Amino acid sequence: MSFAPPVRAACARHTDSDIAALERNIEEVERLFEAGPLVEKTLKNIEFHNLLADATKNPTLVLLMKSLTDMATYFAKNIGPDPASTTVRSRRLFMKAFVARDAEAAVQEMEASLLRLHTVHVNLATKKGAKATPAAPITMPSP
C-alpha cells in the first residue's frame, strides 16, 4: 500500500498546529512504550496516521485514512500490539523530513516503517494461527 499521496499532500499543506499535534502524539507513544501498556501505545501509533491525514486538509483523504486506521485498530486488538520500539525513532526521522517539507524523504520513511510494521503483523497473526497470503497492492488516491 502506498501512502505517498497523503504524505505528499500533508508535507505541502501542514501548519504549525499539525506539526505540534503529531509531535505530541510521538511523545505520548514514547511515554506509553516506557510505561509498558503496549495496546495503548499501538492505538496512539494508529492515531498518528489520522493526524497526518488531517494535515492534508483533504476531507476525502481524512475519511479514507480513518477507514484504514479503523481496520488497523481491529487487527491490533485481535492479533496483539506491536512490541517493537522502532516506531518512535522512525517517526522522528519522518518528522524531520515532514517539517522540512521534504516529501520524498517523508514518503520513504513512512513506507519503510509501514513495511516493517506489516512484517510484525504477519508474524503476530501467524503465531495466532492465521495463514499469510500476499496482498494485492493498494494505492491511496492523489489529493
Side-chain angles (χ1 to χ4, degrees):
M1 176 180 309
S2 175
F3 279 76
V7 169
R8 284 190 183 104
C11 278
R13 300 174 185 158
H14 70 71
T15 64
D16 290 343
S17 151
D18 295 319
I19 292 169
L22 290 163
E23 291 288 355
R24 278 191 306 275
N25 175 274
I26 295 167
E27 290 166 9
E28 184 67 12
V29 166
E30 192 168 39
R31 186 190 68 72
L32 289 167
F33 188 81
E34 291 169 2
L38 293 180
V39 172
E40 290 88 347
K41 175 203 75 117
T42 298
L43 296 177
K44 232 356 139 172
N45 270 333
I46 292 169
E47 180 184 289
F48 181 90
H49 297 283
N50 289 323
L51 294 170
L52 184 62
D54 289 343
T56 70
K57 314 302 183 224
N58 181 321
T60 302
L61 288 176
V62 170
L63 182 62
L64 285 170
M65 188 62 70
K66 177 73 172 118
S67 297
L68 291 171
T69 58
D70 284 350
M71 287 187 288
T73 298
Y74 172 82
F75 288 121
K77 288 180 177 178
N78 286 282
I79 65 171
D82 173 12
S85 63
T86 58
T87 304
V88 170
R89 187 189 67 207
S90 175
R91 292 279 162 77
R92 296 215 186 279
L93 290 170
F94 172 84
M95 288 302 293
K96 183 177 179 182
F98 183 75
V99 170
R101 297 187 192 276
D102 182 348
E104 293 314 307
V107 165
Q108 187 174 17
E109 183 56 39
M110 178 62 70
E111 290 188 344
S113 174
L114 290 171
L115 183 58
R116 285 188 300 271
L117 183 60
H118 173 74
T119 302
V120 168
H121 285 165
V122 167
N123 291 337
L124 288 169
T126 302
K127 286 179 185 175
K128 292 215 172 209
K131 294 188 181 191
T133 57
I138 300 171
T139 56
M140 297 285 284
S142 296

